[in-house]
Amino acid sequence: MKNSMRFVVFLLVVIMLVSLTGCTQSGGQEPAGGDGGEAPADPPEEAPSVALVLPGPISDMGWNASGYEGLMIIESQYGAEVSYAENVSESDAEGVMRDYANAGFDIVFVHGAVFQDAMANAAPDCPDTMFVITNYYESDAPNIVAVAVADAEQGFLMGAFSALMTKSGTVGVIGGIEIPPITDAVKGFAVGAAYADPDVKVLSAMTGSVEDAGLAKEVALSMIDQGADFVSAIANQAGLGVLEATADKGMYSVGANVDQFDASPDSVVTSVTKEVSKAYDFIYSKYLEGDLNPEIYRIGAKEGLIYLTPYHDFEDFVPEEVKTRIQEINQDLIDGKVNPLGN
């Protein structure tokens, strides 16, 4: 909650409810409130409240921004009370989740597999709160819901487009930490590139960080030195360093997670989005209907969550045959004619 009065109220609620709920309090960072704007004039009293825990900043123009966008859709469309905590470390995450549950939030969205252990620890002690984790592949508690976005499909389309556009015959992809959503997308990139053009060389690297944009930039510059003219990233906010590198060198990128054209208008030709906000709406609707079950919901291109954005200033730069071919490849993905992991 953005103003100071709402934040004070939130802290008082936490203190009062710790002893009244089934969620055991744990040390950690207090959630930084954020309601994203004025609530609707007459929000329905019964609208379940929603909190969001983010590993990075909502300003990253990527993964964390996509989660925040989903939260804002819930607020505006359903009139729900919302709050979020950004830049939460793995060590603080469990405490933040418990604080939100103790404050009475009905749903806590946990944005990313990096928080899976913290959520698994907190959820059993907080039975009155539903925890929803994105990009998580197990659901082992009655109040945990998993949303598994088809990350490999995103990487597949990024790789295919890069392979269709390269002039040098070499493209690159840079991942962050070794978690399935990122490693699957990186693998999908290579599979997609080979599907579009088996002769294209793919350079691939993992930096071990989703925060260090400087390191990602260094790796991208190294790939450019090796001949890559398209270098893209699947590394959350660290990926902004890759966009900076391609812009500095007059090379190109395919954006990830959200439309990243504004982040680097000189180098981002298109982006392959994971419109996670649609997943948030999907989950919240099911909760309202009483039809949200502790299971894994797998969604991707077929459901309209993964797709290419417009070409913006690069409309004339992208040949018509490439536009046609990438749409054909996208349809192959939707129709299940190709496995984005190559298995």
Side-chain angles (χ1 to χ4, degrees):
M1 305 150 192
K2 287 184 176 177
N3 60 63
S4 57
M5 181 59 68
R6 291 186 70 186
F7 185 61
V8 169
V9 171
F10 171 75
L11 292 180
L12 290 175
V13 171
V14 171
I15 294 170
M16 288 188 295
L17 290 181
V18 165
S19 61
L20 300 177
T21 67
C23 185
T24 305
Q25 180 72 339
S26 172
Q29 171 186 328
E30 292 289 350
D35 60 11
E38 294 298 322
D42 258 330
E45 291 183 8
E46 69 277 7
S49 55
V50 181
L52 171 64
V53 183
L54 296 159
I58 64 172
S59 59
D60 71 346
M61 298 184 181
W63 174 244
N64 294 282
S66 70
Y68 177 74
E69 181 182 353
L71 185 70
M72 293 301 98
I73 287 175
I74 290 174
E75 181 192 45
S76 63
Q77 185 165 327
Y78 300 97
E81 177 187 1
V82 302
S83 180
Y84 68 91
E86 59 183 334
N87 291 313
V88 178
S89 67
E90 290 183 58
S91 60
D92 288 337
E94 182 181 340
V96 173
M97 293 177 206
R98 290 178 182 273
D99 288 343
Y100 274 133
N102 286 326
F105 280 88
D106 298 296
I107 305 172
V108 174
F109 279 92
V110 180
H111 199 62
V114 66
F115 291 149
Q116 62 188 36
D117 291 339
M119 182 198 62
N121 289 335
D125 295 331
C126 307
D128 295 329
T129 298
M130 183 65 78
F131 291 83
V132 182
I133 186 164
T134 52
N135 284 338
Y136 181 65
Y137 296 88
E138 295 179 14
S139 180
D140 51 11
N143 60 332
I144 291 178
V145 174
V147 181
V149 180
D151 307 282
E153 294 182 0
Q154 179 190 32
F156 182 90
L157 289 176
M158 292 172 68
F161 184 81
S162 299
L164 292 172
M165 287 296 296
T166 181
K167 301 297 184 185
S168 68
T170 301
V171 299
V173 59
I174 297 170
I177 56 178
E178 298 269 357
I179 56 175
I182 293 179
T183 55
D184 284 355
V186 169
K187 183 176 181 181
F189 185 102
V191 174
Y195 189 77
D197 185 349
D199 296 327
V200 166
K201 180 180 180 181
V202 177
L203 304 177
S204 177
M206 302 291 290
T207 66
S209 172
V210 292
E211 300 170 349
D212 194 337
L215 175 59
K217 181 177 181 178
E218 289 179 13
V219 177
L221 291 172
S222 173
M223 288 183 175
I224 291 170
D225 287 343
Q226 295 175 66
D229 55 353
F230 268 78
V231 182
S232 302
I234 304 160
N236 296 1
Q237 63 264 33
L240 296 177
V242 176
L243 305 187
E244 184 178 337
T246 53
D248 288 351
K249 292 294 187 178
M251 301 302 170
Y252 305 99
S253 291
V254 179
N257 298 328
V258 297
D259 189 342
Q260 291 190 307
F261 173 76
D262 288 339
S264 185
D266 293 329
S267 68
V268 176
V269 179
T270 186
S271 299
V272 179
T273 69
K274 288 194 301 188
E275 197 167 354
V276 179
S277 58
K278 286 186 178 180
Y280 276 57
D281 187 14
F282 172 82
I283 292 294
Y284 193 80
S285 297
K286 280 194 166 292
Y287 186 92
L288 290 178
E289 296 163 1
D291 192 32
L292 186 62
N293 300 310
E295 62 185 66
I296 301 172
Y297 294 89
R298 301 184 185 277
I299 45 185
K302 184 177 181 179
E303 292 77 21
L305 267 74
I306 293 176
Y307 57 88
L308 279 89
T309 64
Y311 299 113
H312 299 293
D313 292 352
F314 292 94
E315 188 67 42
D316 295 333
F317 176 72
V318 181
E320 288 301 322
E321 58 268 25
V322 170
K323 295 176 184 177
T324 299
R325 181 60 184 139
I326 195 63
Q327 288 305 318
E328 293 172 349
I329 291 174
N330 183 59
Q331 193 60 49
D332 287 347
L333 197 59
I334 292 172
D335 294 341
K337 293 180 179 180
V338 56
N339 186 331
L341 287 173
N343 299 331

